[in-house]
């Protein structure tokens, strides 16, 4: 069993470790602090036996829209619905704040994540060329909540 809860500053080391192991983009550690301070309710972690095994970071971009910036599950714990539960809990949170639309960017080559988001009713709406640091392209995916 795993639990989902909001991020605490003591989770920082574990979150940075998962991000560096699982996300292609390199993030400055201070960015995580910034997200936490800006919109703490959008920063959730999955925990199992006192170990952080996944996280999601999302922000509100306007009064009724939100953007997912990062979502990651540690490799040995994938395909156990941890990513789905993190996403659902994030959506539950932003729905309370009347958010109607969520967007995110995903590498066009990240077929696993694209399948994951499609499973959660996100649709590809656009493509941004050379979006990432290494020159890869991104799809924008969107979901309308109600
Ligand atoms: C994308 C990611 C967060 C999914 O997390 P997860 O906990 O493994 O996903 P879930 O177990 O909740 O999967 C739910 C459904 O999504 C789809 N899915 C998830 N991973 C998939 C994969 N590797 N291949 C195909 N479909 C996949 C499946 O339909 C799955 O349901 P099923 O297992 O019953 O078939 C995880 O693979 C990950 O951390 N990837 C690396 C980081 C990343 O790419 N993040 C997203 C871009 S920001």
């Amino acid at each position: 069993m795993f639990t989902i809860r909001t991020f605490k500053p003591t989770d920082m080391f574990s979150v940075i470790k998962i991000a560096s192991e699982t996300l292609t983009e390199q993030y400055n550690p201070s960015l995580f602090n910034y997200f936490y301070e800006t919109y703490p309710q959008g920063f959730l972690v999955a925990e199992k036996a006192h170990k952080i095994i996944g996280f999601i970071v999302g922000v509100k971009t306007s009064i009724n829209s939100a953007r997912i910036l990062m979502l990651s599950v540690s490799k040995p714990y994938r395909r156990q619905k941890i990513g789905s539960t993190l996403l659902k809990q994030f959506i539950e949170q932003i729905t309370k704040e009347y958010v109607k639309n969520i967007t995110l960017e995903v590498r066009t080559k990240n077929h696993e994540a694209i399948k994951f988001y499609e499973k959660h009713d996100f649709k590809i709406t656009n493509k941004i060329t050379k979006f990432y640091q290494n020159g890869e392209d991104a799809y924008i995916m969107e979901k309308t909540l109600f």
Side-chain angles (χ1 to χ4, degrees):
M1 263 311 280
F2 60 90
T3 52
I4 308 288
R5 60 167 175 77
T6 47
F7 170 87
K8 295 187 289 203
T10 48
D11 302 325
M12 189 63 86
F13 180 79
S14 310
V15 165
I16 290 173
K17 187 165 184 289
I18 296 176
S20 67
E21 285 168 357
T22 62
L23 300 172
T24 316
E25 204 78 340
Q26 292 305 306
Y27 296 96
N28 187 320
S30 64
L31 207 60
F32 292 91
N33 248 329
Y34 174 76
F35 294 139
Y36 171 61
E37 282 165 10
T38 318
Y39 190 59
Q41 59 273 51
F43 197 160
L44 307 175
V45 297
E47 187 178 41
K48 186 172 186 171
H50 306 293
K51 188 178 160 45
I52 304 299
I53 53 172
F55 70 94
I56 187 166
V57 180
V59 289
K60 266 181 87 171
T61 47
S62 77
I63 207 149
N64 52 17
S65 55
R67 181 169 165 208
I68 294 170
L69 301 173
M70 292 178 225
L71 168 62
S72 181
V73 174
S74 183
K75 243 187 182 153
Y77 299 95
R78 290 189 189 161
R79 303 303 284 262
Q80 298 174 40
K81 301 285 183 268
I82 295 165
S84 297
T85 313
L86 281 163
L87 179 62
K88 280 180 191 158
Q89 203 127 318
F90 175 74
I91 291 175
E92 202 172 292
Q93 172 60 38
I94 57 173
T95 306
K96 283 187 216 154
E97 300 181 34
Y98 308 105
V99 166
K100 290 185 184 147
N101 184 263
I102 316 177
T103 61
L104 59 90
E105 291 86 24
V106 61
R107 272 165 218 276
T108 54
K109 289 182 189 156
N110 191 349
H111 306 291
E112 299 174 354
I114 292 166
K115 283 211 171 77
F116 168 85
Y117 286 122
E118 282 176 341
K119 179 94 179 181
H120 290 281
D121 299 322
F122 281 80
K123 308 260 184 286
I124 294 173
T125 55
N126 217 332
K127 184 175 166 179
I128 312 176
T129 50
K130 299 192 170 55
F131 179 77
Y132 293 100
Q133 287 159 358
N134 68 354
E136 277 185 62
D137 301 339
Y139 284 133
I140 296 180
M141 297 188 79
E142 290 191 38
K143 177 181 166 97
T144 304
L145 297 180
F146 55 86

